Amino acid sequence: MQITKNNIDELIATIKISLVKEDYQENVEKTLKDYRKRVAMPGFRQGKVPMGLIKRQYEKMVTFEEINKLVGEKLFEYLDNEKIDYIGQPLPSEREKSQPDFEQPELLFAFDVALSPKFDVVVDNSLKFTKYNVTLSDDFLNQQIESYKSQAGKFESADVVGEKSKLEGSVFQVDAEGNKLENGLSNNTSMLVSSVKDEDTKKQFIGKKVGEQINFDLKKAFPNETDAKYMLANNAIDFNTINANFAFHIDKIEDFIPGELNQENFDKFFGADTVHNEEEMRAKIVENYKPTLERDSDYKLMIDVREVLTSNTKFDLPVDFMVKWMLTRKENEGKTKESFLQDYPTFENDLRWNLIQGKIVKENNFTVSPDEELEAAKEMTISEFMQYGITPQHLPADALDNYAKERLGRERDKNIVRNMVISNKIINLVKEKSNLETKDITLDEFNKLFQ
């Protein structure tokens, strides 16, 4: 076996692999013997078929498979041993035609490989970035407090319907005089007065008491077809042709009473004896949000770093090769070259950034340890729970560990976690070496930066 490399230019190399029969014949014979043990043919017991018959039926197929397997193994082994940095995957060469006829004494296979471009990445104080210190406004904290109070609240019986009342009763079709239709649609249900979309209809409900009936136009009150069908518990109705004259008979009225800011609820929200008054509650909310806001701020910094470094770091790419390679991938199956070229700028931008990241990682010897993976997975888990109002205080340490380990047990999620750790290391490098300005900004202002 011989393997040679010929650099076509700085970005493309052709690798040739030549084989003779002795390189693969031993594996072919071994595989055929395995076939003989398993194959059954009419007139012969399993394992007793003559080798001549086995070869006649399977030798060409087995030879083809063994050659392909050997060529693939040796190609990537060569790339690895020679420490050749390449992008994408090797493709059959269009410059050097392969000669895969295994009836010949020598077989030749040629592959084109896209070589990683040579470039330098500059990260120093000539680069200027802004690191945002995101603060929570009083309005945001007030909203959070109201949300906590809602979590601790409950519905209590009321005498009169208000704007936020919950009603239980029956809804049914009526005639023009407001009388219940004998064979009309009806349902025992509950509804929130606030869910009524038409303001005039909503006013009809407000002030009513148990036992009273409100006649209304279903389509005006609930112009969303899904809402109307839900109220009637009937997905089969034709919303376009339905008689929209309905009535609601009130059987029960309840008003929502928000929870109080007392010690019982403080302990429930934040853990026992952690918060004792509203001022401490505000401080605790800020503390709980701080890690998430810091990650979001770093994410914005990473976006800016990517944009600047991608713009500043110039290098060529083998565009034609990359297009051909991408068209061989499963996710692009069925696409033409013309249709893929519409998406190519996005692909190339991502590729450039991946190469730049790889260069930074290699030059700075960045690695990801198991402990770093676990801590990053915990951070991601806490951030996700925070979106549902579940604070870190509600997550026991062992439960958080288990959630994080489950995440790392999923290959896709583990890759996301590892990329997060690497991104954090790149961000820390930028913070250390660049000209970094810190700027205070409210959460609303910060969110507008992404619009």
Side-chain angles (χ1 to χ4, degrees):
M1 178 187 300
Q2 280 190 324
I3 303 180
T4 59
K5 178 169 78 76
N6 177 35
N7 286 359
I8 306 303
D9 53 38
E10 291 184 349
L11 297 174
I12 297 291
T14 297
I15 296 176
K16 297 180 185 178
I17 302 175
S18 62
L19 302 178
V20 294
K21 193 170 185 178
E22 288 76 10
D23 293 322
Y24 56 84
Q25 189 59 34
E26 183 178 343
N27 286 339
V28 171
E29 295 292 341
K30 181 180 177 182
T31 301
L32 288 172
K33 287 178 181 178
D34 289 338
Y35 268 56
R36 188 183 182 216
K37 293 176 184 177
R38 295 182 279 111
V39 168
M41 287 186 179
F44 300 97
R45 287 178 295 151
Q46 183 173 333
K48 299 299 182 180
V49 179
M51 180 57 76
L53 288 177
I54 295 292
K55 285 186 175 183
R56 192 180 309 160
Q57 186 159 345
Y58 297 108
E59 186 171 23
K60 284 188 177 182
M61 178 188 71
V62 169
T63 302
F64 178 80
E65 291 175 349
E66 290 298 329
I67 289 173
N68 277 343
K69 185 167 70 172
L70 179 63
V71 168
E73 289 174 354
K74 293 303 178 182
L75 172 61
F76 287 103
E77 185 180 294
Y78 177 82
L79 291 170
D80 187 50
N81 290 341
E82 297 297 316
K83 294 180 171 51
I84 298 172
D85 288 331
Y86 63 97
I87 51 180
Q89 294 291 322
L91 293 177
S93 178
E94 295 182 357
R95 298 175 178 83
E96 299 280 350
K97 296 299 181 183
S98 296
Q99 299 172 9
D101 184 359
F102 48 76
E103 298 292 343
Q104 300 298 319
E106 184 178 6
L107 308 179
L108 178 65
F109 298 87
F111 299 90
D112 287 338
V113 177
L115 303 175
S116 293
K118 308 297 183 185
F119 59 90
D120 294 318
V121 183
V122 177
V123 180
D124 57 25
N125 62 7
S126 68
L127 302 178
K128 295 183 179 181
F129 297 105
T130 300
K131 175 72 167 70
Y132 294 100
N133 177 35
V134 186
T135 60
L136 301 177
S137 66
D138 286 339
D139 285 344
F140 180 87
L141 293 175
N142 291 337
Q143 291 172 7
Q144 292 299 304
I145 289 172
E146 290 304 313
S147 176
Y148 278 114
K149 290 166 69 175
S150 293
Q151 291 178 41
K154 59 183 178 179
F155 281 97
E156 294 183 357
S157 180
D159 296 325
V160 179
V161 177
E163 290 186 2
K164 297 182 179 180
S165 295
K166 182 176 79 170
L167 309 181
E168 293 183 12
S170 56
V171 61
F172 47 87
Q173 274 182 319
V174 294
D175 58 23
E177 287 73 39
N179 300 312
K180 183 176 182 179
L181 292 177
E182 185 175 348
N183 296 314
L185 295 170
S186 64
N187 186 40
N188 292 323
T189 188
S190 62
M191 61 170 281
L192 295 173
V193 175
S194 60
S195 68
V196 177
K197 300 299 186 288
D198 179 63
E199 290 301 319
D200 289 337
T201 304
K202 188 180 294 183
K203 290 175 183 177
Q204 291 179 242
F205 282 85
I206 295 172
K208 293 296 190 291
K209 298 180 180 180
V210 171
E212 293 193 71
Q213 175 177 312
I214 301 94
N215 298 329
F216 65 98
D217 186 310
L218 181 71
K219 292 182 181 179
K220 285 184 178 179
F222 303 101
N224 185 312
E225 182 175 351
T226 302
D227 293 339
K229 289 181 176 180
Y230 176 80
M231 170 168 274
L232 294 169
N234 188 334
N235 286 322
I237 61 173
D238 186 341
F239 194 67
N240 296 318
T241 61
I242 187 176
N243 169 15
N245 294 325
F246 276 79
F248 190 96
H249 183 273
I250 302 174
D251 295 330
K252 185 177 182 179
I253 305 170
E254 290 184 325
D255 283 345
F256 184 77
I257 309 300
E260 296 181 5
L261 297 182
N262 54 32
Q263 195 59 49
E264 179 184 354
N265 284 328
F266 288 145
D267 291 348
K268 183 169 72 172
F269 297 149
F270 304 106
D273 206 32
T274 302
V275 169
H276 306 90
N277 53 53
E278 184 175 336
E279 183 179 355
E280 291 181 2
M281 180 181 186
R282 288 174 176 270
K284 194 65 179 177
I285 293 172
V286 171
E287 179 187 330
N288 286 340
Y289 268 92
K290 188 175 181 178
T292 298
L293 295 175
E294 182 65 20
R295 280 193 298 275
D296 291 345
S297 177
D298 281 349
Y299 174 69
K300 177 65 173 77
L301 178 56
M302 178 58 95
I303 291 175
D304 297 339
V305 169
R306 170 175 172 160
E307 182 177 345
V308 169
L309 291 184
T310 303
S311 176
N312 289 355
T313 309
K314 307 297 184 183
F315 53 83
D316 293 327
L317 288 170
V319 176
D320 288 343
F321 180 94
M322 299 313 298
V323 171
K324 291 173 186 174
W325 170 62
M326 285 300 294
L327 288 173
T328 66
R329 293 172 63 85
K330 188 174 182 179
E331 63 264 28
N332 295 313
E333 189 175 337
K335 282 188 177 181
T336 63
K337 180 178 179 180
E338 290 70 24
S339 64
F340 177 74
L341 284 174
Q342 296 176 3
D343 302 324
Y344 182 77
T346 299
F347 163 76
E348 182 176 307
N349 188 270
D350 290 341
L351 175 59
R352 288 181 178 277
W353 175 238
N354 286 337
L355 291 171
I356 292 169
Q357 277 194 116
K359 182 84 168 181
I360 294 172
V361 168
K362 186 175 182 179
E363 289 183 348
N364 292 275
N365 297 315
F366 289 155
T367 58
V368 181
S369 69
D371 287 344
E372 288 174 323
E373 284 182 349
L374 184 60
E375 287 306 309
K378 288 180 182 178
E379 289 179 16
M380 292 180 71
T381 302
I382 289 173
S383 181
E384 289 177 357
F385 276 108
M386 285 285 290
Q387 295 176 15
Y388 299 98
I390 301 173
T391 63
Q393 291 80 20
H394 288 96
L395 291 172
D398 57 343
L400 183 58
D401 278 353
N402 289 336
Y403 281 125
K405 288 174 182 176
E406 285 180 14
R407 183 187 295 274
L408 293 173
R410 298 186 291 269
E411 190 64 28
R412 180 176 177 275
D413 286 348
K414 183 172 183 175
N415 288 336
I416 292 173
V417 170
R418 291 180 66 85
N419 288 338
M420 174 181 164
V421 175
I422 291 296
S423 293
N424 288 341
K425 294 191 176 190
I426 293 175
I427 284 298
N428 289 335
L429 178 72
V430 171
K431 290 176 182 177
E432 176 188 341
K433 295 193 173 184
S434 72
N435 185 350
L436 194 67
E437 174 193 7
T438 301
K439 180 180 179 180
D440 290 339
I441 189 172
T442 66
L443 181 58
D444 286 341
E445 293 171 332
F446 180 71
N447 287 335
K448 288 178 182 176
L449 297 177
F450 294 90
Q451 294 177 356

